[in-house]
Amino acid sequence: MRVCLYVFEHKLNVCVHILKIYLLLFLTVSTLVPCFRTQLFCARQHGQNKVKPKPKNSMKKRLLRLVTLLLIASVTTAYAQNVTGRVTSAADGSPIPGVSVLVKGTTAGTATDNEGNFSLQVADPANAVLVISFIGFATQEVAVQHRTSIQISLAEDISQLNEVVVTALGIEREKKELGYAVQDVRGDKLTESRDVNVANALAGKVAGVQIKQNGTGVGGSTRITIRGNNTIAGSNQPLIVVDGVPISNFASSPDDYWGNSQIDKGSGLGDISPDAIASISVLKGPAASALYGSRGANGVILVTTKTGKNSKGGLTLSSNFTFENPMMTPEFQNKYGQGIAGTFNNNVVGSWGPVMDGSTKTMTLGELPYSARDNDLYKDFLRTGTTWTNSVEFSKNSEDISFLAGVTRLDKKAVVPNSGLERTSVNIRTTAKLAKWISFDGKLNYINQAAENRISIARDPNNIFMDNLYRPRSVAFSDYAPYEANNWRRADGKPAAYVTDHNAAPNNVFWSAYRNQNSDERDRYIGFVALDFTITDWLSLKLRSGMDNYTMIYDMIRATGNPYW
């Protein structure tokens, strides 16, 4: 098959050359023949003394045409060159099949056959560069430079061949030695998106892992499942292990249909700062997580934090700023306003009234135009959210001792007004080789997180997004402005609303955001102390004691005049 392809490519090149020659001859003859006919005509006329003078620029035009044709011919001589070659191993000279050979900056490429040979058409043989890559070998770039045959020797990349991953109980093993599925993510990949919850940064990075971020506001919890659900009765979330210590991955997102003033206070993994993480390994299946027993039945996520080992040492500063807005928003009609059965009524919820005509009507909030005005929650009420993250890290290491200390500060302003989150994380880690046969490792991670005015969920009247679904399209956000001076209250002390009888109808969004408030603060300590005894070359003993301790304070404020629970 390879020989047939080569013969086909060779014949194709010959045909292209023949066509170019025919084209050049045709253009040349078509240019010169008129000149010959003109000279013959002039000679005949000269014998009869009737020579007609030709325009002076006629010969110039023909010469210019001839020069242009010569230039075209010279350009057409630049054709795609067929480049062949062979890729071998630098270690023993053996051919390497399946090597990727690409022309840099293009999509043109091929792969080597069983003998390490390749054949490739190169459009610009003078400047083209071939990129040769294969798993386990260092990528190499080779300039073509008009060569038709290239011999390439690839050197092994030891860092790829001996990839080390963290497995159960924090044991490091080479990935090729494992008999089960393990996939890891480097720490630098987790700081690209800079999400408040580091679990969301795993989305799309690990095969078989589903990340579902709850739409419950700033710092909301995240549901993680590995290879789908395993039970319909209990939790399907995996076990979270940080530096060998299992931690609580509490999730406070309630599923109460009525809301009942509940909020989502986040999940346990979300407390970990991505700046302190060296890597995350995901153990899939019972074989990978067997050492953790029934707690690891849904899989295990191993978080390995940074140490001062293998670092250059010194002071590292990092700062990151992001902003956010809703990407996709629902579409609403702006034809019909407040009312029922095509008739205006200022004491009903919804937009089942007559067509909005701009006339002035007596609404609950005042004498206002019956029209669609600044009624878009996403443009007229929400704001641009921002996240400001600053971190400082100091590390020092020697042959036997390493030390690392880092502080990360996160300040997030949510898209919902008067809502936000602050988090301070302090991480201290030290390792020491106390003797030839004993080593020490210790870590303390302190996290303080405070959130203000997380959004209410489900059918709670304080849920501003539910209010957006029920609020008549003829009610504008600017209609509430006259009530701001009175803390968004009517004269009777109840929240300013678009219905006369408020009862348990959705609140106005300003009352929910500025009057009915909530706050929560969490202090958390995660740490461990470990001693590793090397008894023989093949036997070691590791003693480790860890802790995960947290306390939480939650405050809920209901403003005076609130018409419901």
Side-chain angles (χ1 to χ4, degrees):
M1 184 65 182
R2 184 175 69 254
V3 175
C4 294
L5 288 175
Y6 176 77
V7 172
F8 173 76
E9 292 174 355
H10 179 71
K11 289 182 178 180
L12 182 63
N13 287 334
V14 172
C15 293
V16 171
H17 288 309
I18 293 175
L19 288 175
K20 290 178 180 178
I21 293 173
Y22 274 120
L23 179 62
L24 182 60
L25 289 174
F26 173 76
L27 294 175
T28 304
V29 171
S30 63
T31 303
L32 295 179
V33 167
C35 296
F36 173 74
R37 289 178 178 174
T38 302
Q39 292 177 357
L40 182 60
F41 174 78
C42 291
R44 290 177 178 176
Q45 295 294 334
H46 181 71
Q48 300 175 6
N49 296 324
K50 295 180 180 181
V51 179
K52 292 184 179 181
K54 292 291 181 181
K56 294 182 180 180
N57 60 353
S58 177
M59 184 59 68
K60 291 182 179 180
K61 288 183 178 180
R62 293 191 179 95
L63 290 175
L64 181 60
R65 187 187 303 174
L66 181 59
V67 171
T68 303
L69 292 175
L70 292 176
L71 290 174
I72 294 175
S74 63
V75 171
T76 57
T77 58
Y79 57 89
Q81 177 178 308
N82 188 55
V83 178
T84 61
R86 191 166 187 259
V87 181
T88 59
S89 172
D92 54 10
S94 60
I96 308 176
V99 177
S100 172
V101 182
L102 295 174
V103 180
K104 188 174 183 179
T106 71
T107 57
T110 185
T112 59
D113 59 19
N114 292 333
E115 300 299 326
N117 298 316
F118 69 89
S119 179
L120 182 66
Q121 287 287 322
V122 179
D124 186 6
N127 302 311
V129 176
L130 301 182
V131 180
I132 296 90
S133 60
F134 190 66
I135 297 176
F137 291 85
T139 301
Q140 191 175 143
E141 294 187 2
V142 179
V144 176
Q145 297 177 339
H146 287 293
R147 289 181 291 177
T148 58
S149 179
I150 301 175
Q151 300 297 318
I152 301 166
S153 180
L154 290 183
E156 293 183 353
D157 189 346
I158 303 299
S159 61
Q160 293 187 34
L161 293 176
N162 299 325
E163 183 179 358
V164 175
V165 295
V166 178
T167 62
L169 300 181
I171 302 172
E172 293 185 351
R173 296 182 60 185
E174 291 187 14
K175 195 171 185 178
K176 62 183 180 180
E177 296 178 353
L178 301 178
Y180 48 82
V182 176
Q183 192 170 352
D184 60 341
V185 180
R186 298 195 314 271
D188 58 341
K189 298 296 182 181
L190 304 174
T191 57
E192 292 176 349
S193 59
R194 282 289 179 182
D195 199 284
V196 173
N197 192 332
V198 69
N200 297 326
L202 292 174
K205 292 183 173 64
V206 182
V209 176
Q210 293 83 41
I211 304 294
K212 182 182 178 182
Q213 180 179 1
N214 293 329
T216 50
V218 57
S221 59
T222 298
R223 185 174 185 268
I224 307 173
T225 54
I226 300 177
R227 294 180 174 175
N229 295 326
N230 296 320
T231 177
I232 60 174
S235 174
N236 287 282
Q237 298 213 61
L239 175 66
I240 308 298
V241 179
V242 179
D243 294 320
V245 179
I247 68 169
S248 174
N249 188 33
F250 54 83
S252 58
S253 175
D255 53 3
D256 188 345
Y257 173 77
W258 296 105
N260 288 322
S261 301
Q262 296 294 313
I263 59 174
D264 184 354
K265 306 180 189 69
S267 53
L269 181 58
D271 289 344
I272 309 299
S273 171
D275 292 282
I277 297 176
S279 67
I280 291 182
S281 298
V282 180
L283 308 185
K284 310 172 188 177
S289 56
L291 291 177
Y292 292 103
S294 60
R295 298 181 66 186
N298 298 320
V300 180
I301 294 181
L302 301 177
V303 179
T304 303
T305 60
K306 296 178 180 178
T307 67
K309 294 180 180 179
N310 303 321
S311 66
K312 297 180 180 179
L315 191 66
T316 303
L317 301 175
S318 175
S319 186
N320 181 273
F321 179 80
T322 62
F323 61 92
E324 59 186 18
N325 283 301
M327 184 178 69
M328 299 180 63
T329 58
E331 295 183 4
F332 292 88
Q333 61 86 23
N334 281 313
K335 184 176 181 180
Y336 302 96
Q338 186 177 19
I340 187 71
T343 303
F344 173 75
N345 188 331
N346 64 2
N347 197 34
V348 298
V349 176
S351 301
W352 299 98
V355 175
M356 290 182 285
D357 55 6
S359 61
T360 301
K361 292 186 180 296
T362 303
M363 300 185 185
T364 306
L365 296 173
E367 298 290 327
L368 298 166
Y370 188 64
S371 61
R373 302 160 289 111
D374 58 285
N375 58 5
D376 191 332
L377 175 75
Y378 304 95
K379 295 180 179 179
D380 303 318
F381 180 74
L382 299 185
R383 62 185 180 182
T384 298
T386 59
T387 304
W388 184 261
T389 307
N390 297 283
S391 65
V392 57
E393 183 180 281
F394 173 77
S395 62
K396 184 72 174 178
N397 65 81
S398 62
E399 184 177 354
D400 296 325
I401 300 176
S402 70
F403 175 79
L404 181 141
V407 179
T408 301
R409 171 70 178 185
L410 181 144
D411 294 276
K412 182 174 181 63
K413 183 179 73 172
V415 295
V416 177
N418 202 34
S419 177
L421 181 143
E422 299 175 350
R423 180 191 297 152
T424 302
S425 178
V426 180
N427 186 50
I428 300 175
R429 183 82 177 265
T430 182
T431 64
K433 193 169 183 62
L434 304 179
K436 186 177 181 181
W437 52 278
I438 182 173
S439 60
F440 168 83
D441 190 1
K443 185 198 80 167
L444 178 62
N445 184 203
Y446 168 71
I447 305 112
N448 172 265
Q449 177 176 288
E452 295 288 338
N453 301 321
R454 299 182 191 257
I455 63 172
S456 298
I457 59 177
R459 288 186 60 88
D460 191 296
N462 277 306
N463 187 345
I464 64 172
F465 295 97
M466 187 187 72
D467 170 78
N468 191 45
L469 297 177
Y470 286 102
R471 188 179 65 258
R473 303 302 292 166
S474 54
V475 177
F477 289 104
S478 58
D479 295 346
Y480 294 100
Y483 300 90
E484 182 178 1
N486 196 33
N487 290 324
W488 314 106
R489 293 179 299 182
R490 302 188 304 202
D492 58 3
K494 291 184 177 181
Y498 53 79
V499 291
T500 305
D501 300 326
H502 192 286
N503 297 325
N507 272 331
N508 79 66
V509 292
F510 297 97
W511 183 274
S512 299
Y514 294 100
R515 300 288 290 152
N516 287 344
Q517 301 183 32
N518 62 78
S519 65
D520 61 273
E521 184 174 2
R522 183 162 60 239
D523 289 295
R524 191 172 189 178
Y525 299 87
I526 302 174
F528 73 90
V529 175
L531 291 174
D532 197 341
F533 300 89
T534 302
I535 301 174
T536 65
D537 293 339
W538 53 271
L539 180 63
S540 63
L541 174 65
K542 189 167 190 175
L543 303 178
R544 176 166 45 202
S545 177
M547 71 169 182
D548 175 23
N549 189 350
Y550 66 90
T551 58
M552 181 182 294
I553 300 175
Y554 173 56
D555 292 327
M556 181 179 69
I557 299 174
R558 285 294 174 262
T560 303
N562 212 57
Y564 55 90
W565 63 89

